[in-house]
Amino acid sequence: RLASRFLLTLESRDPATIAVYDLRGRRIAEATVTPTADLVADWSWDAADLRGAPVAAGRYLVRLEQSGRAASTSVTVVR
């Protein structure tokens, strides 16, 4: 099964929310991560939607939010 792995260095030990969106802005997947003592969090997305169904090939936006701050990147699913 496909997976994209994200190693995140966060600014605090507060939980962070990661959401994956399609290019129309629909939320496809979501998770909450809690960083370790060294402020690192590890998250993998299996290219599945909120119901567990595989997503279509294409580009997706990944947004991380923690303590009122946000960062984003994109990932491309190739089938």
Side-chain angles (χ1 to χ4, degrees):
R1 191 160 173 125
L2 299 172
S4 293
R5 183 176 181 199
F6 297 85
L7 291 174
L8 310 161
T9 302
L10 303 173
E11 293 185 1
S12 73
R13 295 203 53 201
D14 294 335
T17 301
I18 301 173
V20 180
Y21 297 89
D22 66 14
L23 294 182
R24 292 185 177 171
R26 295 178 293 202
R27 189 176 64 232
I28 301 298
E30 182 176 62
T32 299
V33 296
T34 303
T36 60
D38 57 356
L39 303 181
V40 174
D42 187 358
W43 179 68
S44 293
W45 178 48
D46 61 0
D49 65 16
L50 292 167
R51 298 168 304 190
V55 300
R59 190 171 180 187
Y60 294 85
L61 303 177
V62 181
R63 181 176 170 90
L64 170 72
E65 293 184 37
Q66 184 191 40
S67 303
R69 297 188 65 173
S72 62
T73 190
S74 65
V75 62
T76 302
V77 174
V78 178
R79 301 244 181 235

